[in-house]
Amino acid sequence: MNSLELTLIRIGFLAVLWLFVIAAVGVIRTDLFGQSSRSSRRRADTVPHPQPPPRVAPPRAKPKPARVSRQMPQQLLVTAGSLAGTSLGLTDQQITIGRAGDATLVLSDDYASTRHARLFPQDGQWLVEDLGSTNGTYLDRQKVTGPTPVPVGVPIRIGKTVLELRR
Amino acid sequence: MTAASFSDQPVPMPRARRRTELAMLVFALAVVLLAYAAASLGLSGKLSGLSVYILVYALMMIGAHLAVRRFAPFADPLLLPLAALLNGLGIVMIYRLQESGRNGNPGTVVTDMSTSATMLQVLWTAVGVIALVAVLVLIREARILQRYTYTLGAVALVLLAIPALIGTSVNGAKVWITFGSFSIEPGEFARLALAVFFAGYLVAKRDVLALAGRRVLGIDLPRARDLGPVLIAWGASLLILIFETDIGTSALFFGLFVAMLYIATQRKSWLLIGLGLFLAGTWLTALTFHHVMSRFTAWLHPFSGSNPTGISYQPVQGLEGMAFGGIFGTGLGQGQPYHTPLVQSDFIFTAFGEELGLVGVMALLLIFGLLVQRGLRAALAVKDPFSKLLAAGLSFVLALQVFVIVGGVSFLIPLTGVTTPFLSEGGSSLVASWILIALLIRVSNSARQPAPQPIQDEGMTQVVRAA
């Protein structure tokens, strides 16, 4: 073993050690962002499928929140109003929203009705339904008339309270 | 959007990523093999000795991977490979230190280093892997540990008390109990039991503790009666310090409790109270007990008077070793870590610093960091509050342990004798670290497990109604 070989081994080992660290970070990266690349691959796979693509599948240029979620959202977050900052974990149970004491999310909002709206999961989607409120429920700027699917990150307005689903 | 087009979307299934784990594990084993080759070539110029141990080690890790595949199929894919790399590098370094000054190799024999050190370390790794598999098999959900909150709390206290009563004093710290030629350090296991106890206790009491009494200067102060548990933890850690003269363990013990209190209640005041109590306790013991004071002297004045050859001889040797290594290190097997007494246990980090340099130890610290990050990630993702607190506490205590020992040998904080997880020679620490990893694997499995599919009946009816 001459000293040149030893130097090469020494530097080579450090390089491999760092490669391991970089590979580990890469694994974490795919854990965080792998979803989008995988679903685009899925989309490519389904091209020969006879069924036409869902109408809501947006053009690529559209911003992310409008894209149909392929993964169930994990929580409901209050972004504005007196409860701002509150978050609720989503389970397979429906969530009722209103001023009633037995609602899942009890609002202290003067513009909300006692039983204002409900959110429920169905077929891998969360839907919002207005329960005949006085002032109405809005999904983004659209008034909710029947059960409407809620994409992740789109604001639901109830009185002065704004909620959104988060992954 | 019709109901039919929802159901045609692919069902979201989080990937289990067991293949990624296998690939990373093979990568880790390759790095360990390369480290062994580099150490052996650097030491004697030829490949010799350790290869059978590396083979056995590789088989054990593959076995652990198969156990994870079978019993925790959705676990985080990085926990096992990261731990396997650290443990493997530890074995290589212990082999390298054991060979120093023996079999015609350069250097002198390291203090207290027997010729069977590597074999023992591999043996303890086997025990660790068996413990990992046992935890995965016996504990199918981390939250069943919540049933044993108080039992494990009592177990922890007994484990902590044993060495004070029947322990043997090694290098000034009375934390070991010996059976024949084996010695174990019960404190390492007590830490895990305590993490379970704290998690169970705090899940039950978090609301009471978070219910702040008064607000002073923008800080929520807890009510006096809620301070009780903190004071008990503080008192117990002081008692350990006094009877077992082990600063490291008491620091970990107290740090774990304060961190878990903070996580459970989200009140910053606990951090301030905890830090204040810790500083007060350390100051009091430093004034009262000579050996605690001498640690401070060695830290603050390592080079004054006769200190470099006296009380601060070992840390100064470690420091000089790391300085000798510089940025890129001397190369495995080519440094002189044998100048530091007992370099194989508390000071193994300085041996890595000498032979792998700053570049190498930064990679090691990042690997520890990633391990902690994966644990905290599992804690964030899991829904059950007990598992959440347990994973967060275990990750935190791992990070704290690395900080205490690496900070100690690099003179950032006073040196305290705790082992470097996975790297140091010593069975108890290794087995306890593997159990910790097993618990994190278990929690991450629950966190990443796909939720049971909701019943689709309601959707079906709607489709029918629409038609």
Side-chain angles (χ1 to χ4, degrees):
Chain A
M1 276 287 127
N2 61 40
S3 63
L4 177 69
E5 284 169 334
L6 283 176
T7 309
L8 284 179
I9 291 176
R10 177 171 70 130
I11 302 299
F13 177 72
L14 289 178
V16 171
L17 193 62
W18 274 96
L19 268 181
F20 180 85
V21 173
I22 292 166
V25 173
V27 170
I28 297 176
R29 210 199 84 92
T30 12
D31 246 27
L32 288 176
F33 303 113
Q35 207 62 37
S36 64
S37 72
R38 189 162 58 98
S39 57
S40 63
R41 208 182 310 139
R42 279 264 176 80
R43 202 172 297 145
D45 289 345
T46 54
V47 166
H49 205 268
Q51 188 238 333
R55 273 190 300 151
V56 283
R60 273 175 189 273
K62 265 206 173 176
K64 250 188 173 167
R67 188 177 289 178
V68 170
S69 126
R70 304 254 165 179
Q71 196 193 12
M72 289 290 275
Q74 296 298 320
Q75 57 171 345
L76 177 70
L77 187 72
V78 183
T79 53
S82 56
L83 287 176
T86 312
S87 69
L88 271 172
L90 296 178
T91 56
D92 51 354
Q93 299 292 313
Q94 71 160 357
I95 291 176
T96 53
I97 302 162
R99 292 197 299 176
D102 61 347
T104 323
L105 186 66
V106 181
L107 298 176
S108 53
D109 187 328
D110 290 341
Y111 295 89
S113 300
T114 312
R115 286 176 219 288
H116 197 108
R118 71 177 183 124
L119 270 164
F120 58 99
Q122 183 182 304
D123 294 332
Q125 287 262 345
W126 279 84
L127 281 76
V128 64
E129 184 181 20
D130 192 84
L131 298 174
S133 65
T134 314
N135 292 320
T137 304
Y138 292 83
L139 182 63
D140 208 358
R141 306 206 173 276
Q142 214 72 40
K143 187 159 186 177
V144 174
T145 47
T148 313
V150 185
V152 171
V154 173
I156 304 167
R157 291 168 211 280
I158 291 171
K160 288 188 166 177
T161 308
V162 181
L163 314 146
E164 61 182 69
L165 296 179
R166 287 282 169 90
R167 207 167 273 162
Chain B
M1 189 105 187
T2 57
S5 70
F6 294 136
S7 53
D8 283 332
Q9 286 171 17
V11 180
M13 273 289 285
R15 280 182 295 174
R17 311 209 73 192
R18 290 279 69 80
R19 276 187 209 162
T20 313
E21 180 182 85
L22 184 62
M24 286 304 288
L25 190 62
V26 170
F27 194 172
L29 293 173
V31 176
V32 172
L33 192 66
L34 191 67
Y36 153 68
S40 194
L41 289 173
L43 202 58
S44 58
K46 55 184 191 297
L47 292 171
S48 60
L50 185 72
S51 40
V52 61
Y53 292 137
I54 295 291
L55 188 71
V56 170
Y57 180 71
L59 287 177
M60 288 191 299
M61 289 306 132
I62 299 293
H65 165 72
L66 291 177
V68 172
R69 203 173 255 267
R70 173 85 177 74
F71 296 108
F74 297 98
D76 192 284
L78 276 182
L79 287 168
L80 182 66
L82 291 172
L85 179 72
L86 291 171
N87 192 351
L89 289 181
I91 291 176
V92 169
M93 183 52 87
I94 284 164
Y95 164 75
R96 179 256 173 276
L97 294 171
Q98 170 200 307
E99 289 299 297
S100 166
R102 293 194 174 109
N103 303 329
N105 294 319
T108 54
V109 173
V110 177
T111 331
D112 276 2
M113 193 93 190
S114 76
T115 48
S116 55
T118 316
M119 195 199 70
L120 271 177
Q121 187 76 358
V122 175
L123 210 65
W124 279 115
T125 308
V127 177
V129 170
I130 291 169
L132 171 108
V133 177
V135 169
L136 289 182
V137 173
L138 294 177
I139 302 169
R140 303 312 288 260
E141 280 288 342
R143 63 167 171 265
I144 65 165
L145 284 173
Q146 197 173 1
R147 289 180 215 153
Y148 307 103
T149 298
Y150 288 94
T151 319
L152 283 169
V155 166
L157 282 184
V158 171
L159 284 174
L160 279 173
I162 289 172
L165 302 174
I166 59 163
T168 39
S169 185
V170 178
N171 308 320
K174 200 173 172 186
V175 291
W176 299 87
I177 50 173
T178 37
F179 303 108
S181 58
F182 281 100
S183 55
I184 60 170
E185 201 177 344
E188 298 278 348
F189 300 101
R191 206 179 306 146
L192 299 177
L194 276 174
V196 175
F197 169 66
F198 290 160
Y201 175 82
L202 291 172
V203 163
K205 299 282 168 76
R206 63 199 294 181
D207 293 334
V208 182
L209 292 167
L211 202 141
R214 272 165 291 136
R215 249 179 113 77
V216 180
L217 299 170
I219 301 160
D220 292 312
L221 285 181
R223 290 180 302 181
R225 69 182 117 153
D226 298 333
L227 270 172
V230 195
L231 290 176
I232 291 171
W234 180 66
S237 67
L238 276 188
L239 284 179
I240 302 167
L241 222 166
I242 291 164
F243 283 106
E244 298 174 11
T245 67
D246 184 4
I247 313 169
T249 302
S250 61
L252 291 182
F253 179 112
F254 192 63
L256 173 68
F257 188 57
V258 171
M260 289 182 79
L261 253 179
Y262 170 58
I263 296 165
T265 61
Q266 305 178 6
R267 288 276 182 276
K268 288 182 211 70
S269 54
W270 289 117
L271 293 183
L272 289 177
I273 294 168
L275 199 66
L277 279 174
F278 182 74
L279 291 179
T282 321
W283 183 65
L284 276 176
T285 41
L287 288 185
T288 327
F289 294 93
H290 179 67
H291 73 274
V292 180
M293 197 64 217
S294 74
R295 295 292 179 96
F296 275 93
T297 317
W299 172 55
L300 291 172
H301 314 288
F303 297 107
S304 65
S306 66
N307 284 354
T309 49
I311 50 170
S312 60
Y313 178 71
Q314 190 190 22
V316 163
Q317 289 299 318
L319 213 53
E320 285 179 354
M322 287 195 283
F324 189 55
I327 302 281
F328 291 101
T330 60
L332 279 167
Q334 299 167 69
Q336 301 164 358
Y338 44 80
H339 286 309
T340 315
L342 292 172
V343 66
Q344 71 273 30
S345 57
D346 293 357
F347 275 77
I348 199 152
F349 197 78
T350 66
F352 278 104
E354 181 169 355
E355 304 212 318
L356 298 180
L358 183 70
V359 174
V361 290
M362 281 300 151
L364 285 183
L365 285 181
L366 261 181
I367 290 168
F368 276 118
L370 288 175
L371 206 52
V372 172
Q373 192 267 345
R374 290 332 276 165
L376 289 176
R377 176 79 211 136
L380 279 177
V382 77
K383 292 217 173 77
D384 164 47
F386 172 79
S387 307
K388 214 181 238 311
L389 257 180
L390 180 65
L394 291 175
S395 311
F396 176 80
V397 80
L398 183 69
L400 185 65
Q401 191 177 354
V402 174
F403 173 77
V404 162
I405 185 62
V406 174
V409 297
S410 57
F411 276 80
L412 180 66
I413 53 173
L415 179 70
T416 55
V418 297
T419 55
T420 319
F422 290 110
L423 296 178
S424 292
E425 183 195 39
S428 314
S429 161
L430 197 56
V431 175
S433 302
W434 275 114
I435 294 176
L436 190 152
I437 292 297
L439 290 172
L440 289 183
I441 285 178
R442 185 40 87 211
V443 173
S444 76
N445 183 55
S446 333
R448 297 163 63 100
Q449 208 160 25
Q453 289 294 312
I455 300 162
Q456 306 276 325
D457 282 351
E458 205 184 347
M460 298 281 281
T461 6
Q462 278 203 348
V463 172
V464 171
R465 197 167 54 204

